[in-house]
Amino acid sequence: MGVVLPSAVWLFFLLGEAVLMADGMGCNWGTRSSHPLPADIVVRLLRDNNFDKVKLFEADAAALRALGRSGIEVMVGIPNELLAPLAGSVNAAEQWVMQNVSAYVSQYGVNITHVAVGNEPFLKTYNGMFENTTFAALQNIQAALIKAGLSRQVRVTVPLNADVYQSGASGLPSSGDFRNDIHGLMVAIVGFLQDNGGTFTVNIYPFLSLYLDPHFPLDYAFFSPSANPIVDGPISYSNAFEASYDTLIWALERNGFGSMPVIVGEIGWPTDGDIHANVDYARRFNQGLVDRIRQRRGTPKRPAPPDIYLFGLLDEDQKSIQPGNFEPHWGLFYYDGSLKYQFVMDDGRPLVPARGVRYLERQWCVLSSTASVTDPIIADAVGYACEYADCTSLGYGSSCNGLDARGNVSYAFNQLFQVANQQKGACNFSDLSVVTETDPSQGSCRFNIMIDEGKHDRAVNTSGTGGGGALLRRWAAASILLLWTMSYVL
């Protein structure tokens, strides 16, 4: 998922890792986790919950092997960093298809139905970085699929953010067209997709409209009959999804592609990391979306429900937090496949959690009762912990926002302790911390125990503050320190 600057027209959701379709459901399966759920367990989780389609952001070998002969349809993604080499060499494209499509189809029986070339490559925030390589890479991948004899069963697409189209001065869907700076490129790509049996894929995020604009009407982000509608001629739009989707349909029609099939590649709602990212809102949005699919409801411009890839399946604690602290928390399930909330699928059955998950020992790293929150070395200790582990749940409006000063520090310590597989030295922190067998979780704030990956052979030193590292993690740590400091003062 990418970042986009807010539009002057709040009607849009400018931004944009499994698929809702009229005949089944699916979900994006992202793998940016410190302790990923084993691939065979994930595939069983998908099947237990009747997900029959999945989208991968890259050709992850473990995921693809596990999906073999599962009956699940697979969309395989090509990361943006590969666009340049694939654009510059047909041979490189042929090698990619051979290694990441042909091999898994023939050797493992993976039902690959799409190749996604890039991921939101025309985001405004990329400043045109991928504009000269995306189309050429798409053409070369299509040529490679033809050479491999797979072009009839594997379609090409380019997942695009909703910021590739816009409305005119009226701000209404009926004035939709492609963005001026990439208009010619978009027409060329859509024409190529249409000529080769491909699909247009768009990512739509009402949550991000709400996140970027404090004046965005809350009810309009959901599928709420009480929302004030946007009136466009004879059509009234009561929710942001329909308005954005139909703006795209108008843009396609305006440029001669009225029959172009469209997939919603990503749509969902995060559960943590922001005041509007919570379990109640996520349940409300996702259930409303699935209910529409169950009722076979589309949009005013296209009454049949579109194919939709729900974002996402599992939380990912190693995702970049540059877009916001909510980024690690888009999953329908927590990182370990456990349930976040009750949710009824399109077949009327409730979600069920992952089976067969193995955990590390039931122990946590917390601030010692003899340590003072005013100790001057705590700041560096917490900063170090949050540089290498995910502390986004401590932010304002997040699930652990209610912890006191000691709780904030303990949460940060435990996150690193668990990410380091509870290894020797991982709960040192200059003698400020201790290991406890008493679960310190409070209310909605979960102190995690990580999945057991069997990697316990390397010691980790947390007695120092470390050097270098991720600036964004340091920034998050600074926010946490502010929280516990204010808590102490108050």
Side-chain angles (χ1 to χ4, degrees), residues 123-186:
L123 278 176
K124 290 181 181 178
T125 51
Y126 288 154
N127 296 316
M129 183 184 307
F130 304 110
E131 289 179 13
N132 294 326
T133 55
T134 301
F135 188 21
L138 176 69
Q139 292 172 305
N140 286 347
I141 288 294
Q142 175 63 22
L145 289 170
I146 293 173
K147 184 174 181 179
L150 294 170
S151 60
R152 292 189 176 183
Q153 69 186 80
V154 182
R155 306 297 185 179
V156 289
T157 189
V158 181
L160 296 164
N161 191 277
D163 76 343
V164 299
Y165 54 89
Q166 57 193 9
S167 66
S170 69
L172 298 175
S174 60
S175 62
D177 201 353
F178 296 123
R179 219 169 66 210
N180 290 334
D181 61 309
I182 56 170
H183 190 278
L185 179 58
M186 286 299 304

Coordinates of all heavy atoms in Angstrom, one line a residue, residues 123-186:
L123 N 2.0 6.4 -8.1 CA 1.7 7.2 -7.0 C 2.3 8.6 -7.2 O 3.5 8.7 -7.6 CB 2.2 6.6 -5.7 CG 1.4 5.5 -5.0 CD1 2.1 5.0 -3.8 CD2 0.0 6.1 -4.6
K124 N 1.6 9.6 -6.8 CA 2.2 11.0 -6.9 C 3.4 11.1 -6.1 O 4.4 11.8 -6.5 CB 1.1 12.0 -6.5 CG 0.0 12.2 -7.4 CD -1.0 13.2 -6.9 CE -2.2 13.4 -7.9 NZ -3.2 14.4 -7.4
T125 N 3.5 10.5 -5.0 CA 4.6 10.6 -4.1 C 5.9 9.9 -4.7 O 7.0 10.2 -4.2 CB 4.3 10.0 -2.7 OG1 3.8 8.7 -2.9 CG2 3.3 10.8 -2.0
Y126 N 5.8 9.1 -5.7 CA 6.9 8.5 -6.4 C 7.6 9.5 -7.4 O 8.7 9.2 -7.9 CB 6.6 7.2 -7.1 CG 6.3 6.1 -6.2 CD1 5.5 5.0 -6.6 CD2 6.9 6.0 -4.9 CE1 5.2 3.9 -5.8 CE2 6.6 4.9 -4.1 CZ 5.8 3.9 -4.5 OH 5.5 2.8 -3.7
N127 N 6.9 10.6 -7.6 CA 7.5 11.7 -8.5 C 7.9 11.1 -9.9 O 9.0 11.5 -10.4 CB 8.6 12.4 -7.8 CG 8.2 13.1 -6.6 OD1 7.2 13.8 -6.6 ND2 9.0 13.0 -5.5
G128 N 7.1 10.2 -10.4 CA 7.4 9.7 -11.8 C 8.5 8.7 -11.9 O 8.9 8.3 -13.0
M129 N 8.9 8.1 -10.7 CA 10.1 7.2 -10.7 C 9.9 6.0 -11.6 O 10.8 5.5 -12.2 CB 10.3 6.8 -9.2 CG 11.5 5.8 -9.1 SD 11.6 5.3 -7.3 CE 11.6 6.8 -6.4
F130 N 8.6 5.5 -11.7 CA 8.4 4.3 -12.5 C 7.6 4.5 -13.7 O 7.2 3.5 -14.4 CB 7.7 3.3 -11.6 CG 8.4 3.0 -10.3 CD1 7.9 3.4 -9.1 CD2 9.6 2.3 -10.3 CE1 8.5 3.2 -7.9 CE2 10.2 2.0 -9.1 CZ 9.7 2.5 -7.9
E131 N 7.4 5.7 -14.1 CA 6.6 6.0 -15.3 C 7.3 5.6 -16.6 O 6.6 5.3 -17.6 CB 6.3 7.5 -15.4 CG 5.3 7.9 -14.3 CD 5.0 9.4 -14.3 OE1 5.4 10.1 -15.3 OE2 4.4 9.9 -13.4
N132 N 8.6 5.5 -16.7 CA 9.3 5.1 -17.9 C 9.5 3.6 -18.0 O 10.1 3.2 -19.0 CB 10.6 5.9 -18.0 CG 10.4 7.4 -18.2 OD1 9.4 7.8 -18.8 ND2 11.3 8.2 -17.6
T133 N 9.2 2.9 -16.9 CA 9.5 1.4 -16.9 C 8.3 0.5 -16.8 O 8.4 -0.6 -17.3 CB 10.5 1.1 -15.8 OG1 9.9 1.5 -14.5 CG2 11.8 1.8 -16.0
T134 N 7.2 1.0 -16.3 CA 6.1 0.1 -16.0 C 5.5 -0.5 -17.3 O 5.2 -1.7 -17.4 CB 5.0 0.9 -15.2 OG1 5.5 1.4 -14.0 CG2 3.8 0.0 -15.0
F135 N 5.2 0.4 -18.3 CA 4.6 -0.1 -19.5 C 5.5 -1.1 -20.2 O 5.0 -2.2 -20.7 CB 4.2 1.1 -20.4 CG 3.3 0.7 -21.6 CD1 2.6 -0.5 -21.6 CD2 3.3 1.5 -22.7 CE1 1.8 -0.8 -22.7 CE2 2.5 1.2 -23.8 CZ 1.8 0.0 -23.8
A136 N 6.8 -0.8 -20.3 CA 7.7 -1.7 -21.0 C 7.8 -3.0 -20.3 O 7.8 -4.1 -20.9 CB 9.1 -1.1 -21.2
A137 N 7.8 -3.0 -19.0 CA 7.8 -4.2 -18.2 C 6.6 -5.0 -18.4 O 6.6 -6.3 -18.5 CB 8.0 -3.9 -16.7
L138 N 5.4 -4.4 -18.4 CA 4.2 -5.0 -18.7 C 4.2 -5.7 -20.1 O 3.8 -6.9 -20.2 CB 3.0 -4.0 -18.7 CG 1.6 -4.5 -19.0 CD1 1.1 -5.4 -17.9 CD2 0.7 -3.3 -19.2
Q139 N 4.7 -5.0 -21.1 CA 4.7 -5.6 -22.4 C 5.7 -6.8 -22.5 O 5.4 -7.9 -23.1 CB 5.2 -4.6 -23.4 CG 4.2 -3.4 -23.7 CD 4.8 -2.3 -24.5 OE1 5.9 -1.7 -24.1 NE2 4.2 -2.0 -25.6
N140 N 6.8 -6.7 -21.8 CA 7.8 -7.8 -21.8 C 7.3 -9.1 -21.0 O 7.5 -10.2 -21.4 CB 9.1 -7.4 -21.2 CG 9.9 -6.5 -22.2 OD1 9.5 -6.4 -23.4 ND2 10.9 -5.8 -21.7
I141 N 6.5 -8.8 -19.9 CA 6.0 -9.9 -19.2 C 4.9 -10.6 -20.0 O 4.8 -11.9 -20.0 CB 5.4 -9.4 -17.8 CG1 6.5 -9.1 -16.9 CG2 4.5 -10.5 -17.2 CD1 7.4 -10.3 -16.4
Q142 N 4.1 -9.8 -20.7 CA 3.1 -10.4 -21.6 C 3.7 -11.3 -22.7 O 3.3 -12.4 -23.0 CB 2.2 -9.4 -22.2 CG 1.1 -9.9 -23.2 CD 0.1 -10.8 -22.6 OE1 -0.1 -10.8 -21.4 NE2 -0.5 -11.6 -23.4
A143 N 4.8 -10.7 -23.3 CA 5.5 -11.5 -24.3 C 6.1 -12.8 -23.8 O 6.0 -13.8 -24.4 CB 6.6 -10.6 -24.9
A144 N 6.6 -12.7 -22.5 CA 7.2 -13.9 -21.9 C 6.1 -15.0 -21.6 O 6.3 -16.2 -21.7 CB 7.9 -13.5 -20.6
L145 N 4.9 -14.5 -21.2 CA 3.8 -15.5 -20.9 C 3.4 -16.1 -22.2 O 3.0 -17.3 -22.2 CB 2.6 -14.7 -20.3 CG 2.8 -14.3 -18.8 CD1 1.7 -13.4 -18.4 CD2 2.9 -15.5 -17.9
I146 N 3.3 -15.4 -23.3 CA 3.0 -16.0 -24.6 C 4.0 -17.0 -25.0 O 3.7 -18.1 -25.4 CB 2.9 -14.9 -25.7 CG1 1.7 -13.9 -25.4 CG2 2.8 -15.5 -27.1 CD1 1.6 -12.7 -26.3
K147 N 5.3 -16.7 -24.9 CA 6.4 -17.6 -25.2 C 6.3 -18.9 -24.4 O 6.6 -20.0 -24.9 CB 7.7 -17.0 -25.1 CG 8.9 -17.9 -25.5 CD 10.2 -17.1 -25.5 CE 11.3 -18.0 -26.0 NZ 12.6 -17.3 -26.0
A148 N 5.9 -18.7 -23.1 CA 5.8 -19.9 -22.2 C 4.5 -20.7 -22.4 O 4.3 -21.7 -21.7 CB 5.9 -19.4 -20.7
G149 N 3.6 -20.2 -23.3 CA 2.4 -20.9 -23.5 C 1.4 -20.7 -22.4 O 0.5 -21.6 -22.2
L150 N 1.5 -19.6 -21.6 CA 0.6 -19.4 -20.5 C -0.3 -18.3 -20.6 O -1.1 -18.0 -19.6 CB 1.5 -19.2 -19.2 CG 2.3 -20.4 -18.8 CD1 3.3 -20.0 -17.7 CD2 1.4 -21.5 -18.2
S151 N -0.3 -17.6 -21.7 CA -1.0 -16.3 -21.8 C -2.6 -16.5 -21.7 O -3.3 -15.5 -21.4 CB -0.7 -15.6 -23.1 OG -1.0 -16.4 -24.2
R152 N -3.1 -17.7 -22.0 CA -4.5 -17.8 -21.9 C -5.0 -18.1 -20.5 O -6.2 -17.8 -20.2 CB -4.9 -19.0 -22.8 CG -4.8 -18.7 -24.3 CD -5.4 -19.8 -25.2 NE -5.4 -19.4 -26.6 CZ -5.9 -20.2 -27.6 NH1 -6.5 -21.3 -27.2 NH2 -5.8 -19.8 -28.8
Q153 N -4.1 -18.7 -19.7 CA -4.6 -18.9 -18.3 C -4.0 -17.9 -17.3 O -4.6 -17.8 -16.2 CB -4.1 -20.3 -17.9 CG -2.6 -20.5 -17.7 CD -2.2 -21.9 -17.4 OE1 -2.1 -22.8 -18.3 NE2 -2.0 -22.2 -16.2
V154 N -3.0 -17.2 -17.7 CA -2.4 -16.2 -16.8 C -2.6 -14.8 -17.4 O -2.0 -14.5 -18.5 CB -0.9 -16.5 -16.5 CG1 -0.4 -15.4 -15.5 CG2 -0.8 -17.9 -15.9
R155 N -3.3 -13.9 -16.8 CA -3.6 -12.6 -17.3 C -2.6 -11.6 -16.6 O -2.2 -11.7 -15.5 CB -5.0 -12.2 -17.0 CG -6.0 -13.1 -17.6 CD -6.0 -13.3 -19.1 NE -7.0 -14.1 -19.6 CZ -7.2 -14.4 -20.9 NH1 -6.4 -13.9 -21.8 NH2 -8.2 -15.2 -21.3
V156 N -2.3 -10.5 -17.4 CA -1.5 -9.4 -16.8 C -2.4 -8.3 -16.3 O -3.5 -8.1 -16.8 CB -0.5 -8.9 -17.8 CG1 0.6 -9.9 -18.1 CG2 -1.2 -8.4 -19.1
T157 N -1.8 -7.6 -15.3 CA -2.5 -6.4 -14.8 C -1.5 -5.5 -14.1 O -0.3 -5.9 -13.9 CB -3.6 -6.8 -13.8 OG1 -4.4 -5.6 -13.4 CG2 -3.1 -7.4 -12.5
V158 N -1.9 -4.3 -13.8 CA -1.0 -3.3 -13.1 C -1.8 -2.8 -11.9 O -2.7 -2.0 -12.2 CB -0.5 -2.2 -13.9 CG1 0.4 -1.3 -13.1 CG2 0.3 -2.7 -15.2
P159 N -1.6 -3.2 -10.7 CA -2.4 -2.6 -9.6 C -2.1 -1.1 -9.4 O -0.9 -0.7 -9.2 CB -1.9 -3.4 -8.3 CG -1.3 -4.7 -8.9 CD -0.7 -4.3 -10.2
L160 N -3.1 -0.3 -9.5 CA -2.9 1.2 -9.5 C -3.7 1.8 -8.4 O -4.7 1.3 -8.0 CB -3.4 1.8 -10.8 CG -2.6 1.3 -12.1 CD1 -3.4 1.6 -13.4 CD2 -1.3 2.0 -12.1
N161 N -3.1 2.9 -7.8 CA -3.8 3.6 -6.8 C -4.9 4.4 -7.4 O -4.8 4.8 -8.6 CB -2.7 4.5 -6.1 CG -3.3 5.1 -4.8 OD1 -3.9 6.1 -4.9 ND2 -2.9 4.5 -3.7
A162 N -5.9 4.7 -6.5 CA -7.0 5.5 -7.0 C -6.6 7.0 -7.4 O -7.4 7.7 -8.0 CB -8.1 5.6 -6.0
D163 N -5.3 7.3 -7.2 CA -4.9 8.7 -7.6 C -4.5 8.8 -9.0 O -4.2 9.8 -9.5 CB -3.8 9.2 -6.7 CG -2.4 8.6 -7.0 OD1 -2.4 7.6 -7.7 OD2 -1.4 9.2 -6.5
V164 N -4.7 7.7 -9.8 CA -4.4 7.8 -11.2 C -5.6 8.4 -12.0 O -5.5 8.7 -13.2 CB -4.1 6.4 -11.9 CG1 -2.8 5.8 -11.2 CG2 -5.2 5.4 -11.8
Y165 N -6.7 8.5 -11.3 CA -7.9 9.2 -11.9 C -8.4 10.3 -11.0 O -8.0 10.4 -9.8 CB -9.0 8.2 -12.3 CG -9.5 7.4 -11.2 CD1 -10.5 7.8 -10.3 CD2 -8.9 6.1 -10.9 CE1 -11.0 7.0 -9.3 CE2 -9.4 5.3 -9.9 CZ -10.4 5.8 -9.1 OH -10.9 5.0 -8.1
Q166 N -9.1 11.2 -11.6 CA -9.6 12.4 -10.8 C -10.9 12.8 -11.4 O -11.3 12.5 -12.6 CB -8.6 13.5 -10.9 CG -8.2 13.9 -12.3 CD -7.0 14.8 -12.3 OE1 -6.3 15.0 -11.3 NE2 -6.7 15.4 -13.5
S167 N -11.6 13.7 -10.7 CA -12.9 14.3 -11.2 C -12.5 15.6 -11.8 O -11.4 16.2 -11.6 CB -13.9 14.4 -10.1 OG -13.5 15.3 -9.2
G168 N -13.4 16.2 -12.5 CA -13.2 17.5 -13.1 C -13.6 18.6 -12.0 O -13.6 18.3 -10.8
A169 N -13.9 19.8 -12.5 CA -14.1 20.9 -11.6 C -15.4 20.6 -10.7 O -15.5 21.1 -9.6 CB -14.3 22.1 -12.4
S170 N -16.3 19.8 -11.2 CA -17.5 19.5 -10.5 C -17.3 18.6 -9.3 O -18.0 18.6 -8.3 CB -18.5 18.8 -11.4 OG -18.1 17.5 -11.7
G171 N -16.2 17.9 -9.3 CA -15.9 17.0 -8.2 C -16.8 15.8 -8.2 O -16.9 15.1 -7.2
L172 N -17.5 15.5 -9.2 CA -18.5 14.4 -9.3 C -17.9 13.2 -10.1 O -17.1 13.4 -11.0 CB -19.8 14.9 -9.9 CG -20.5 16.0 -9.2 CD1 -21.7 16.5 -10.0 CD2 -20.9 15.6 -7.8
P173 N -18.4 12.0 -9.8 CA -17.9 10.9 -10.5 C -18.1 11.0 -12.1 O -17.2 10.5 -12.8 CB -18.7 9.7 -10.0 CG -19.0 10.1 -8.6 CD -19.2 11.6 -8.7
S174 N -19.1 11.6 -12.5 CA -19.4 11.6 -13.9 C -18.4 12.5 -14.7 O -18.4 12.4 -16.0 CB -20.8 12.2 -14.2 OG -20.9 13.5 -13.6
S175 N -17.6 13.3 -14.0 CA -16.5 14.0 -14.7 C -15.2 13.3 -14.6 O -14.1 13.9 -14.8 CB -16.4 15.4 -14.1 OG -16.1 15.4 -12.7
G176 N -15.2 12.1 -14.2 CA -13.9 11.3 -14.0 C -13.1 11.2 -15.3 O -13.6 11.0 -16.4
D177 N -11.8 11.3 -15.1 CA -10.8 11.1 -16.2 C -9.5 10.7 -15.6 O -9.3 10.9 -14.4 CB -10.7 12.3 -17.0 CG -10.1 12.0 -18.4 OD1 -9.7 10.9 -18.7 OD2 -10.1 13.0 -19.3
F178 N -8.5 10.3 -16.4 CA -7.2 10.0 -15.9 C -6.5 11.2 -15.6 O -6.7 12.3 -16.2 CB -6.4 9.1 -16.9 CG -7.1 7.7 -17.1 CD1 -7.4 7.3 -18.4 CD2 -7.3 6.9 -16.0 CE1 -8.0 6.1 -18.5 CE2 -7.8 5.6 -16.2 CZ -8.2 5.2 -17.5
R179 N -5.5 11.1 -14.6 CA -4.7 12.3 -14.2 C -4.0 12.9 -15.4 O -3.5 12.2 -16.3 CB -3.7 11.8 -13.2 CG -3.4 12.8 -12.1 CD -2.6 12.1 -11.0 NE -1.3 11.8 -11.4 CZ -0.6 10.8 -10.9 NH1 -1.1 10.0 -10.0 NH2 0.7 10.6 -11.3
N180 N -4.0 14.2 -15.5 CA -3.4 14.9 -16.6 C -2.0 14.5 -16.9 O -1.6 14.3 -18.1 CB -3.5 16.4 -16.4 CG -5.0 16.9 -16.5 OD1 -5.8 16.3 -17.1 ND2 -5.2 18.0 -15.8
D181 N -1.2 14.4 -15.9 CA 0.3 14.2 -16.1 C 0.6 12.8 -16.7 O 1.7 12.6 -17.2 CB 1.1 14.5 -14.9 CG 0.7 13.6 -13.7 OD1 -0.5 13.5 -13.4 OD2 1.6 12.9 -13.1
I182 N -0.3 11.9 -16.5 CA -0.1 10.5 -17.0 C -1.2 10.0 -17.9 O -1.3 8.8 -18.2 CB 0.1 9.5 -15.8 CG1 -1.2 9.5 -14.9 CG2 1.3 9.7 -15.0 CD1 -1.2 8.4 -13.9
H183 N -2.0 11.0 -18.4 CA -3.1 10.6 -19.2 C -2.8 9.7 -20.4 O -3.4 8.6 -20.7 CB -3.9 11.8 -19.7 CG -5.2 11.5 -20.3 ND1 -5.4 11.1 -21.6 CD2 -6.5 11.6 -19.8 CE1 -6.6 10.9 -21.9 NE2 -7.3 11.2 -20.8
G184 N -1.8 10.1 -21.2 CA -1.4 9.3 -22.4 C -0.8 8.0 -22.0 O -1.1 7.0 -22.7
L185 N -0.1 7.9 -20.9 CA 0.5 6.6 -20.5 C -0.6 5.7 -20.0 O -0.6 4.5 -20.3 CB 1.5 6.9 -19.3 CG 2.1 5.7 -18.7 CD1 2.9 4.8 -19.7 CD2 3.0 6.1 -17.5
M186 N -1.6 6.2 -19.3 CA -2.7 5.4 -18.8 C -3.5 4.9 -20.0 O -3.9 3.7 -20.0 CB -3.6 6.2 -17.9 CG -3.1 6.5 -16.5 SD -2.8 4.9 -15.6 CE -4.4 4.2 -15.7

